[in-house]
Amino acid sequence: MSQAAPADQAVLAKTHRFMLVSDLDWTMVDHNDGTHDKLLAFNRLWLSEFAADSLLVFSTGRSPELFHELAGEVPLLTPDILVCSVGTEILINGTPDGEWEAYLNQGWDRARACAIAAELPDLVLQQDSEQRAHKISYKLSVPDPEPVVAALRSQLEAAGLDTSVIFSAGVDLDILPSRASKGKALSFLLKQMESKAGRPEVGVMVCGDSGNDIELFAVPGVHGCMVANAHSELSNWCEAHGSDQLFRATKDGPGGIVEALHHFRQAAALCLAPGRPAALSAMACVLTCMPSQGCLPGCFPNPAKSDTVQRRMALTSNLAWYEDWCNASVPKDADACSTQMQFLDPSFEYVHPSGTIMNRAAFVDWFATQGYGCHSGSAAAAAAADPTTGGGGDAASSGRHCMWLDRYSERQLAPGVWLARYLEQHQPFAAGKHTGEKRASRWASVILLQQTEPEAGAYRVAYVHESLVPVEQARA
């Protein structure tokens, strides 16, 4: 009698429409964007139009510890799969992939590789958390790093060690088993998926900014987005390997990823037009085309089923408006507030984490009066002190209290009645400030009612019940 697949392998056993694989630092996360507006825009797009049937994969040079540290400071979604430590660790729904670990153990001699690297004084070991079972990490801060990198590769090869040396971001150097890299980890995942439910039906898109992302772009059949702030090692590679499968963004970080998705959405119109070019890239159909409309094989149909997109968009767009209202970044307009509150059904009931219960009239009254600007104080506090000078700052321009949804799931209770469950995150952000300890998280259970009159909107909210979540349990 066969056993049920473990929870981690169940992810790979499902049929998925699309897979997005992104580096983190300076790709999915722009550290120059103090309020993370671009990342939050990506979150809304992904949660609304992709998350229902697609995989989100973060592929990072960070160890799991440093990933969780980052996830506590910026509004990252929880990924379906996390590839850490430059491709040497794969975690699926938080569980290490034992097959990948066993594969990397073959022929790996960590102690000998360390001994050889120790003979090069320019290599400085990184912190302990970055030293992993299948990764040895150094800082190389010299004007001309290439001779040092070449010498290390030569000495490892002369010793008969089957290793890879990855130099990225102008300062980070990693020694890995030759079987490991971001690209090889992705290839391994795709092979696992192929042996189960098959690869993502309409393709994979990778996103990156530095040298350790090159192997992601080199995986056969993938499409790529190089963000505008990419380092020269990736930019040069993309220049040499340019194709219609590669998009060079004009915006930094997550803004470039969203830009790439919108670029392919516009190009998709060509796929539907009479007399479209026969050689049109499949990636040109990335967002809007559906197979029933005659798209070319391999296009990325979008969105997911329209009914789930309507529910998700209703919730994310409503939360975005709440964020603006609570930050007092929109005028205090009673009519505008009343119009927005039409999203709430006349039967609406709200259960606060404290246990307080409010009907629609009480909730609307509180929100229209006390709710306006209620978060501007926390944003001001986050932005008040300059981390280098200790001086004050303009809170309106440098700080913002942000809200986003994560870990969304839903099920139908009855015809036209849906139960949605998600993690609602609140956190003030300000350039140069660490605010992870100020994150407030709550699980929300929401009942949505489908509307028959188009002017009423596709869905209304009838019930919200929220419960607080400890900070350590609320990170991606």
Side-chain angles (χ1 to χ4, degrees):
M1 180 177 179
S2 61
Q3 294 182 333
D8 57 322
Q9 293 300 314
V11 172
L12 302 179
K14 293 179 180 177
T15 299
H16 299 283
R17 173 173 59 99
F18 174 57
M19 177 190 280
L20 177 66
V21 184
S22 179
D23 174 51
L24 287 177
D25 292 284
W26 302 108
T27 303
M28 185 59 73
V29 179
D30 181 354
H31 296 283
N32 288 331
D33 182 7
T35 55
H36 301 290
D37 289 342
K38 294 180 289 186
L39 177 53
L40 290 165
F42 169 81
N43 289 352
R44 289 190 290 270
L45 176 63
W46 183 264
L47 185 71
S48 297
E49 301 188 14
F50 292 92
D53 58 3
S54 299
L55 284 175
L56 179 62
V57 181
F58 292 153
S59 184
T60 177
R62 288 174 176 255
S63 63
E65 290 82 355
L66 285 190
F67 164 73
H68 288 299
E69 181 180 298
L70 177 67
E73 292 292 339
V74 303
L76 286 171
L77 294 178
T78 301
D80 300 292
I81 300 174
L82 178 63
V83 179
C84 282
S85 306
V86 201
T88 60
E89 298 177 67
I90 298 176
L91 293 92
I92 304 174
N93 277 345
T95 302
D97 187 331
E99 292 182 30
W100 180 239
E101 291 180 355
Y103 177 74
L104 295 186
N105 280 334
Q106 300 174 39
W108 171 238
D109 191 334
R110 192 181 193 284
R112 288 184 66 197
C114 282
I116 290 171
E119 297 174 2
L120 298 173
D122 290 323
L123 294 177
V124 179
L125 279 168
Q126 294 184 27
Q127 63 204 73
D128 289 346
S129 69
E130 298 311 286
Q131 309 306 327
R132 312 296 296 178
H134 299 100
K135 178 173 78 80
I136 317 165
S137 295
Y138 300 87
K139 291 292 184 182
L140 178 57
S141 303
V142 295
D144 185 8
E146 286 306 318
V148 181
V149 176
L152 177 62
R153 285 174 173 151
S154 177
Q155 291 177 31
L156 290 168
E157 183 179 355
L161 296 181
D162 197 9
T163 61
S164 293
V165 175
I166 307 294
F167 184 63
S168 61
V171 67
D172 295 319
L173 185 143
D174 301 298
I175 302 175
L176 319 173
S178 63
R179 292 173 169 236
S181 70
K182 288 185 174 184
K184 288 167 182 162
L186 175 56
S187 294
F188 188 86
L189 284 168
L190 292 173
K191 186 175 180 180
Q192 286 181 304
M193 295 173 74
E194 203 169 52
S195 68
K196 296 178 172 69
R199 291 192 177 208
E201 293 177 340
V202 293
V204 179
M205 187 166 79
V206 303
C207 311
D209 77 299
S210 71
N212 67 17
D213 300 315
I214 289 175
E215 285 207 26
L216 285 176
F217 286 73
V219 172
V222 305
H223 298 82
C225 168
M226 183 189 77
V227 293
N229 54 299
H231 289 271
S232 59
E233 59 262 25
L234 178 60
S235 180
N236 292 339
W237 186 92
C238 289
E239 188 70 32
H241 298 81
S243 73
D244 60 358
Q245 293 181 302
L246 175 63
F247 178 73
R248 300 172 68 99
T250 62
K251 296 181 180 178
D252 293 348
I257 299 174
V258 172
E259 180 190 8
L261 295 176
H262 285 303
H263 164 81
F264 291 122
R265 170 176 287 162
Q266 292 164 4
L270 294 174
C271 194
L272 301 179
R276 67 190 179 197
L280 182 66
S281 165
M283 185 62 176
C285 305
V286 63
L287 287 175
T288 58
C289 303
M290 300 299 290
S292 62
Q293 295 172 310
C295 294
L296 296 175
C299 71
F300 292 3
N302 180 75
K305 292 181 180 180
S306 60
D307 59 338
T308 188
V309 171
Q310 289 174 345
R311 287 188 294 277
R312 291 162 179 260
M313 288 187 71
L315 291 167
T316 55
S317 61
N318 192 61
L319 189 68
W321 187 89
Y322 282 5
E323 179 183 311
D324 286 339
W325 183 263
C326 293
N327 279 284
S329 54
V330 294
K332 189 176 183 180
D333 184 323
D335 289 339
C337 183
S338 177
T339 298
Q340 186 68 27
M341 290 301 163
Q342 291 178 10
F343 181 59
L344 306 179
D345 191 74
S347 65
F348 175 77
E349 185 174 81
Y350 171 63
V351 183
H352 188 269
S354 67
T356 300
I357 301 175
M358 304 172 75
N359 61 20
R360 187 184 190 280
F363 182 84
V364 171
D365 179 66
W366 179 91
F367 207 82
T369 54
Q370 299 177 59
Y372 185 78
C374 63
H375 285 157
S376 58
S378 62
D386 185 294
T388 57
T389 67
D394 178 2
S397 62
S398 59
R400 182 175 176 83
H401 192 111
C402 297
M403 309 177 192
W404 69 99
L405 305 183
D406 192 14
R407 308 185 200 178
Y408 182 99
S409 63
E410 62 177 27
R411 62 188 177 93
Q412 189 169 17
L413 301 179
V417 182
W418 290 80
L419 172 65
R421 190 165 185 262
Y422 51 79
L423 192 64
E424 184 175 307
Q425 306 272 34
H426 295 233
Q427 186 170 343
F429 293 110
K433 300 295 293 182
H434 296 288
T435 62
E437 74 284 354
K438 297 180 180 178
R439 180 175 295 185
S441 307
R442 58 193 70 179
W443 277 112
S445 298
V446 180
I447 292 179
L448 293 146
L449 304 180
Q450 191 169 12
Q451 302 301 296
T452 55
E453 302 83 10
E455 63 274 9
Y459 287 89
R460 281 183 175 169
V461 172
Y463 179 79
V464 176
H465 190 144
E466 295 182 333
S467 56
L468 293 179
V469 178
V471 171
E472 64 274 10
Q473 296 178 18
R475 296 178 300 186

